[in-house]
Every structure is written in C-alpha cells, then in structure tokens.
Amino acid sequence: MAFTLPALPYAYEALDPTIDAETMRLHHTKHHQAYVDKLNEGVTEDPSLAGKSLEEILAAISSQPKKVRNNGGGHWNHSFFWETMKPGGSKPVGRLAQVIDDEFGSLDELKKKLNEAGVGQFGSGWVWLVADGGGRLVIAATPNQDNPLMDDAPVKGTPILGNDVWEHAYYLKYNNRRADYLNAWWDVVDWEKVAERFEGVSQGTVAELA
Ligand code: MN
C-alpha cells in the first residue's frame, strides 16, 4: 500500500496574506509530493517495511537509511503541518488553554519561546509543541525532516503543533526574514485542532495519519 499525497483541507490561496498561494502550491505539489514519492521508493527497497504505518517506521527510524528517514519524516511532517493551519486561525480552548497558561505563563509567552526556537534552528528544520504523555508541554526544534516521533530524537513525545522553518516554506514572501514568518504564522494556527490532538495524547489515543 503506497503512501499518497493528502489533499489540502483548504484552497492554496486560503491562508493568504500569511502564506501566499504560490508558496502553498509549490510546497504541496512539489516538495511534499517529492517526499511521498521517495518514501515509496525507500519502502519498496526494503520488504521488511511493507504494511507498516508511517508512525511505526518513525518509531524505529534509527535503523533505517537516510532516504527513509528524510522522506518518511517529510511526509509525516507536512501532512501534520497542513492540518495545523486553517484560514483565519483560532484561539486555544478548554484544557489546552489552561495547560498553556500553567506551563508558559501565557499564550504570548509560548509564542515567543517557539519563535525563538525557530530562529535559533540553524539551517532547515522544524519547531514543535510536544505533549510528553504526562500532561506536560515542551518546545523542541529538529533538523532536516526529523521529528519528536523518531526513536533517536533528543526530545521525544507527540507533536500537537509544528511549523516548517525550511526556506521553501516562506522565502517567496518573507525572503530571509524567518522571524517575520514565524511571527505571522500564528494568525493561521488551528488551535482547535491542536487542542483535539492534546486531548488524544492525554487519553493515550494518538491518531495516525489517514
Ligand atoms: Mn516544507
């Protein structure tokens, strides 16, 4: 069963002006599609991976070649990223809003720390808000297409929010100003989705990608 490129849950222009349509189109149809294609090649080359979910593969990624790591991470991260955003964004709700206040002091403080982690990630990578399974939230940054689901990640847990800090995610509109992109991105975060993921982690039921 080959991995496939998921459809976006909104139109390419729907996140404008935070993210322009051309960036979204290239990011989805070229970059994400390439991760899917190369992941499928990598899986075909290793019969022991047949039938495994992407989450299972990532949980034992330290034994895999770079091709499966980079493209398996790429497919998971981007599928997760599209679902983390929605036109117009939203605000944290329910227990998540309370835990953010308890752990970080305020939503603004969480944003500030995550923005700093994004600016501080040298080269390409991702920044994450991670639930550790014990009800706590931590911020993590990972290089390349790594993520906190990988068995050898320095900070392990279940991501509930993630932002792409590769230049291809922002360069057309923001050029080299990664900090401006990170700051603007909050306008399109779907916090209801993030809260739903947080509830899933608390209940021990982590949803797999479709
Ligand atoms: Mn990307």
Side-chain angles (χ1 to χ4, degrees):
M1 188 53 192
F3 293 102
T4 54
L5 183 71
L8 285 191
Y10 36 74
Y12 289 123
E13 65 273 21
L15 304 180
D16 194 72
T18 306
I19 305 178
D20 59 284
E22 185 62 3
T23 295
M24 288 299 294
R25 184 176 287 108
L26 289 168
H27 204 171
H28 183 244
T29 64
K30 303 296 180 191
H31 293 279
H32 190 174
Q33 182 70 62
Y35 297 125
V36 170
D37 293 345
K38 291 189 188 124
L39 171 62
N40 283 328
E41 279 177 26
V43 168
T44 305
E45 288 158 10
D46 181 353
S48 78
L49 295 178
K52 289 208 167 134
S53 72
L54 187 48
E55 287 79 5
E56 287 174 311
I57 293 172
L58 296 178
I61 204 71
S62 58
S63 62
Q64 288 297 321
K66 274 211 164 68
K67 184 176 192 174
V68 173
R69 181 187 195 97
N70 291 338
N71 295 292
H75 178 36
W76 195 93
N77 294 349
H78 287 85
S79 302
F80 180 85
F81 179 59
W82 310 132
E83 299 275 343
T84 303
M85 301 184 288
K86 78 168 188 184
S90 63
K91 295 272 183 290
V93 291
R95 220 163 48 78
L96 176 64
Q98 186 60 52
V99 173
I100 287 172
D101 284 348
D102 292 347
E103 299 264 333
F104 297 97
S106 68
L107 179 60
D108 281 346
E109 198 57 30
L110 160 63
K111 290 179 178 176
K112 190 171 150 224
K113 288 212 166 73
L114 213 133
N115 290 353
E116 284 168 2
V119 168
Q121 172 59 39
F122 182 76
S124 298
W126 289 76
V127 286
W128 307 98
L129 183 61
V130 182
D132 71 355
R136 300 209 60 184
L137 295 172
V138 284
I139 286 170
T142 53
N144 306 313
Q145 294 295 349
D146 286 4
N147 70 41
L149 298 174
M150 294 180 169
D151 58 332
D152 53 4
V155 175
K156 280 197 281 185
T158 306
I160 61 170
L161 172 149
N163 194 3
D164 188 343
V165 299
W166 283 58
E167 286 185 345
H168 68 225
Y170 62 85
Y171 207 85
L172 288 183
K173 181 179 170 79
Y174 297 91
N175 306 137
N176 61 320
R177 300 182 302 278
R178 185 189 286 183
D180 290 355
Y181 161 69
L182 283 160
N183 213 30
W185 182 72
W186 297 109
D187 290 344
V188 293
V189 170
D190 182 356
W191 281 105
E192 286 159 28
K193 182 72 183 177
V194 177
E196 183 189 310
R197 290 168 175 160
F198 181 65
E199 291 301 328
V201 175
S202 304
Q203 292 158 17
T205 53
V206 179
E208 290 185 353
L209 297 175

